[in-house]
Structure formats: C-alpha cells, structure tokens
Amino acid sequence: MNSVREWIYTGRHAVAERWHNAPRWTRWAVIGAVIVFFYALPNREFYQWLGPIPTTGSNFGQVLFTISIYVLLAVGLNIVVGFAGLLDLGYFGFFAVGAYTVAVFTSPSSDLKTLWPWLLALPLAIALTMVSGVFLGTPTLRLRGDYLAIVTLGFAEMIRVAATSSEFLKGQRGFNQIPHPPGSYSDGKPIFGVLDPRPYYWLVLTVIILVVIGVRNLNRSRVGRAWISIREDEDAAQLMGVPTFKFKLWAFASGAAIGGLAGALFAGKQNFVSSQNLELLNSIIILAAVILGGSGNIVGAIVGGGLVAYLIERFRGIEFFGVELYEYRFMFFGLILVVMMIFRPQGLIPNRRRAAEFKDRRKEVIVGG
C-alpha cells in the first residue's frame, strides 16, 4: 500500500514540476483552453460529445450553475480555512446574508418596498456581508480550533433561526419576484431570463475567474504570507511581530465577502429566497469540498467544490434495481470522503507545503514502524 502511495505522490510531483518548468506561453495556452472549455460546456452541441458526463435527470445548464456557486463558495472558504487555518463551520451564513440583502432591497414582497434593481443591491450585499464577517470575527477570532468552529456554527444557526421566525424576513414564505441581473439582446429579449440557465452560469464563471485572480494576488502578497504564518504557528507568528488578529479578521472579511457575492448571484437567478435554503448541511458540504480538493490550494478548492456539487447532482434520475440512487447521494458522498481521508488526507490537489508535511509524516510512520 505504501508503494502505491509513493508511486502516486511521485507521479503527481513530476507532473507539478513539469508544469512549473513549462514555458510561460504554454501555461497560458493551457489555462486559456480550460477556460474556453468551461465556457462552451453548457451548450448542447458541445456537451453531447462528452459521453456520460452530462446529467440525465436534470437540466445540465442548471447543474452547471449550481456547481459554479459551490466553486465560488469553496474559493471563499479556502481563504479562511486553507490560507489562515481558521475552522469555520458556519460559512453558509454569509451566503444567506448576501442573498437576503438582495431580497430585502429588491423584492416587491419586502416590507421596505425600495424595489432596487439587482445590480444596485449587489455591492450593498457584498459590503453588508463583509461587515457581518467583521462583527462576527471581532469578538470570536481570539478563539482557536474547536471553540472557533462552535461559534461559527452558532452564527449560521442564528441566521437560519432569524430567517425562519422573523416576520421581516418572511420565514418559509420567503421573498419572491427578485429581479434578475440586467441586460438584453438586440431584439429586446432579456439575457437573464427564466428558462435558460446558461447566461447565469457564464456570469458566475466570469466572477469566479475575477475572484481567483484577486485571491491569488492577495495570497502572494504580504497578507498571504501573514496568513500562512498564522496557519503554521500562530504563537510564533505573533512573537515575530505579525499582527495575527488583524490578518485573521482580514481573512474572515474577505471570505465573507465572497460568500455574500455567491448569495447575491444565487438570489438573482432563483428569483426567490426563503429559510428553506439555509440548512446546516450546506456549510458542511462546502467545508468538505475544500478539504477534498486540497485545503490551501486555489485550484484544489475549485476542483473540490465542482466535484462535490457534480457528484450530488449526478445521482439524480439514476435507478438501480428500482431504487432511486439520489435518495442515497449523501451516503455515497460520505463513503468517498472516508476513503479520501484514509488514502489521501491532504486532498486531491494540496499545496506544496501541505504535501511536503504529509510526506514527512509518512516517513516518520515508516521509520517508527
């Protein structure tokens, strides 16, 4: 078993080295081809040649939109969990803040009756979500580990309970007639309508690309280096003069802003927001996606978020001996996680530092045995 693991690690390491040593234009060409592939993916003329990959039990364009939302959330949570090393079990609460902010200021069923257009409410949703991250982080980020996880879990539950019981937030009745993003074709037909989910997928995909560029630059800056030092050893970082609380708060606010952006995009597509969308399971799934893909790696978070969302939807419409497999989707998902944690605990695409750490631990186990 150890020889198989070493073979997999050596192969992955060789591929990574070849990628980093490749000419710059080659890497940009590969990245460009991948981006073109994902932009073409929701078109039937393209995905009909991809064999069993497209979903059969649901609209593939709608599935791709759901996947893109999960990917955006995974990229945001990766800042908190992967870069700064802060265990957050209530990240979906920020998604809810963003979605409800758009709903309250744009929906005709809101008590405010402001009826803002979606585009005007979008920056407000991001700002309020960032502020909520600061408000949550200021009294709680002095906690660590399990204690911080419990507090963030309580935050998500507070949001859910408030949305369910508050008359202002309409409970399970929710907000309807939330406006869609603006834009129309030359014939006057709106780009973002009800029947075609592809424009929404393309919009979120474009947002993901912009967010990834921003997060990548942030991670390579002084802020990113401070996050890494906090993740590796917060006490040592503080002794070396790193203002750990400030940078942890920065990570919380940045991750919250991306979560709120995802919620605002979701509200603009669904045209409806209610407390039924705020299950605790969603926070657990996003955290599992980051860990599955590779905590601390942007590409790993993207792969993890996309893979988790796709696997959950892939079982829809599939029967085995008369049994609907979609009903057991989370059982299969749990089995995959257990197998991953046994054979590849660092995730599918870990960052170099974590991969080196796990390699050293394997050597220690072998020597100790």
Side-chain angles (χ1 to χ4, degrees), residues 112-132:
L112 295 184
K113 304 297 182 183
T114 50
L115 301 181
W116 286 8
W118 178 86
L119 193 59
L120 183 61
L122 177 63
L124 180 62
I126 298 173
L128 287 181
T129 312
M130 183 179 291
V131 170
S132 69

Side-chain angles (χ1 to χ4, degrees), residues 136-159:
L136 174 64
T138 299
T140 62
L141 283 179
R142 304 187 190 280
L143 302 173
R144 301 184 188 180
D146 299 340
Y147 302 101
L148 178 61
I150 292 172
V151 171
T152 55
L153 177 62
F155 164 73
E157 281 299 289
M158 287 170 57
I159 297 294

Side-chain angles (χ1 to χ4, degrees), residues 161-192:
V161 171
T164 303
S165 59
S166 172
E167 182 63 29
F168 179 73
L169 297 179
K170 305 302 179 184
Q172 294 187 356
R173 290 177 297 150
F175 296 92
N176 55 18
Q177 300 183 34
I178 298 173
H180 299 297
S184 59
Y185 295 107
S186 57
D187 59 355
K189 182 180 178 181
I191 297 175
F192 300 95

